[in-house]
Amino acid sequence: MTDFDSFRRDWLGHLSAERRLSPKTLEAYARDLGQFAAFLTEHLGGAPTLADIAGLKPVDLRAFLGRRRRDGVGNRTLMRQLAALRSFARFGERNGKLGAAAFAATRGPRLGKSLPRPLEPASARAVTQAGTRAGEEREPWILARDAAVLGLLYGSGLRISEALSLARAQAPRSAGETLTVIGKGSKTRMVPVLPVVVEAIAEYLRLCPWRLPPEGPLFVGAKGGPLSARIIQLAVEGLRGALGLPSSATPHSLRHSFATHLLGRGGDLRAIQELLGHASLSTTQIYTRIDSARLMATYDAAHPRARGA
């Protein structure tokens, strides 16, 4: 074990305890640094030490990014990996172990500015209704469970991880209640729950064959254990075919739909930011671009002179 390995553990501990990054982000950053270490072992001819990393130049970092690109990694993943390496270098600089200049000087790939792709309101409602899947050979309680989860994504703007982390004791009992959600970076926010979603959760609880202790998960799998996000993703994949939805229709697109539809009906941008749990208003402002794009598309399609003479 080199000093790099022990320092990597210190860095991850710092990210968890002080930066309070989410478990998924920690997992991704740990994997990114592990891939970098594997590259350096080949690139330098041996397991890297902190002294090796301190001596790296931007050309070495570009070689790593180039290797990852040849492995088929996309621009967004490359940007995240570079962000992980910069974080590690900054931590090393603060502790007098590394310099961060080479990492800061390395430019990442350009990212295309793609807009989120929400569903149409009617499609979003259909995805969240258990009756849409009535013809499937699945137990009624599972269909009710999936509808309740998807209802929270569209009705309250939750991330799928946030919905699946809810405890049984948090289940709303009546209309007008709110949920306390722990989001990215362990940040807490309160979100309202629509009456129709309260009813969907109640129906799931009525049909669920498993005992759900208050401290246990609200949503469980077919064998009574914690529900996997992949199960909900597969459910939406099935609904894409049944409803003729595009491949962009995913559980997360329901969260995009929540924000876009609220904004389209006059919702306040700051309020939507709080409901989504965005740290920065600029992150939420992307939904104004979607609304503007839809407005112009409607104009081009409907106005008699929009397309010129």
Side-chain angles (χ1 to χ4, degrees):
M1 179 181 295
T2 67
D3 56 355
F4 168 78
D5 296 309
S6 60
F7 198 68
R8 173 168 54 181
R9 287 200 303 273
D10 293 341
W11 170 64
L12 290 171
H14 160 75
L15 294 181
S16 176
E18 298 183 33
R19 293 287 306 281
R20 299 174 67 189
L21 296 188
S22 71
K24 286 189 177 296
T25 302
L26 285 172
E27 180 183 341
Y29 273 24
R31 185 170 59 248
D32 294 337
L33 197 60
Q35 290 169 347
F36 185 54
F39 165 80
L40 290 179
T41 299
E42 178 183 341
H43 187 64
L44 301 175
T49 64
L50 288 180
D52 293 328
I53 294 174
L56 294 177
K57 306 295 183 187
V59 65
D60 300 306
L61 300 175
R62 287 195 294 270
F64 168 67
L65 296 176
R67 169 68 64 82
R68 298 297 294 144
R69 184 181 292 283
R70 290 193 295 276
D71 290 340
V73 173
N75 285 352
R76 291 191 179 278
T77 299
L78 290 177
M79 284 297 292
R80 190 204 65 224
Q81 293 194 315
L82 184 56
L85 299 183
R86 285 171 173 165
S87 171
F88 180 75
R90 287 194 301 269
F91 181 70
E93 190 171 57
R94 286 194 298 271
N95 285 273
K97 303 286 188 180
L98 299 173
F103 294 84
T106 303
R107 297 180 61 180
R110 291 179 177 271
L111 293 180
K113 294 184 178 180
S114 60
L115 294 177
R117 299 179 65 183
L119 303 179
E120 293 296 328
S123 297
R125 287 194 297 269
V127 167
T128 63
Q129 293 169 350
T132 305
R133 301 170 63 195
E136 294 187 21
E137 294 182 0
R138 295 186 182 275
E139 295 181 61
W141 80 268
I142 288 181
L143 298 180
R145 177 202 65 194
D146 293 353
V149 173
L150 295 171
L152 283 169
L153 306 191
Y154 180 49
S156 298
L158 299 193
R159 301 176 179 91
I160 189 168
S161 59
E162 294 169 345
L164 299 188
S165 68
L166 293 173
R168 167 64 181 88
Q170 292 180 270
R173 296 178 176 81
S174 60
E177 288 192 33
T178 59
L179 280 175
T180 299
V181 179
I182 300 176
K184 284 188 175 181
S186 299
K187 295 176 181 174
T188 301
R189 71 184 191 278
M190 296 181 67
V191 297
V193 186
L194 296 174
V196 66
V197 179
V198 174
E199 293 173 7
I201 294 173
E203 179 67 2
Y204 153 66
L205 292 174
R206 185 182 71 82
L207 296 174
C208 181
W210 300 101
R211 178 182 173 275
L212 303 177
E215 69 281 1
L218 172 58
F219 298 109
V220 296
K223 296 183 179 180
L227 178 60
S228 165
R230 183 58 183 155
I231 298 299
I232 301 300
Q233 291 165 353
L234 289 172
V236 175
E237 286 180 19
L239 285 163
R240 284 206 300 256
L243 298 172
L245 301 177
S247 59
S248 59
T250 63
H252 199 68
S253 70
L254 290 172
R255 177 172 154 90
H256 293 320
S257 303
F258 164 83
T260 305
H261 298 166
L262 276 182
L263 189 64
R265 297 191 63 131
D268 177 73
L269 194 63
R270 283 284 184 188
I272 295 172
Q273 176 194 359
E274 293 180 10
L275 291 171
L276 291 173
H278 286 162
S280 170
L281 184 63
S282 63
T283 307
T284 314
Q285 284 175 328
I286 193 170
Y287 295 107
T288 65
R289 294 174 56 197
I290 299 173
D291 204 43
S292 296
R294 289 191 170 198
L295 178 63
M296 290 308 300
T298 301
Y299 172 82
D300 287 340
H303 196 285
R305 299 195 65 180
R307 299 179 185 275

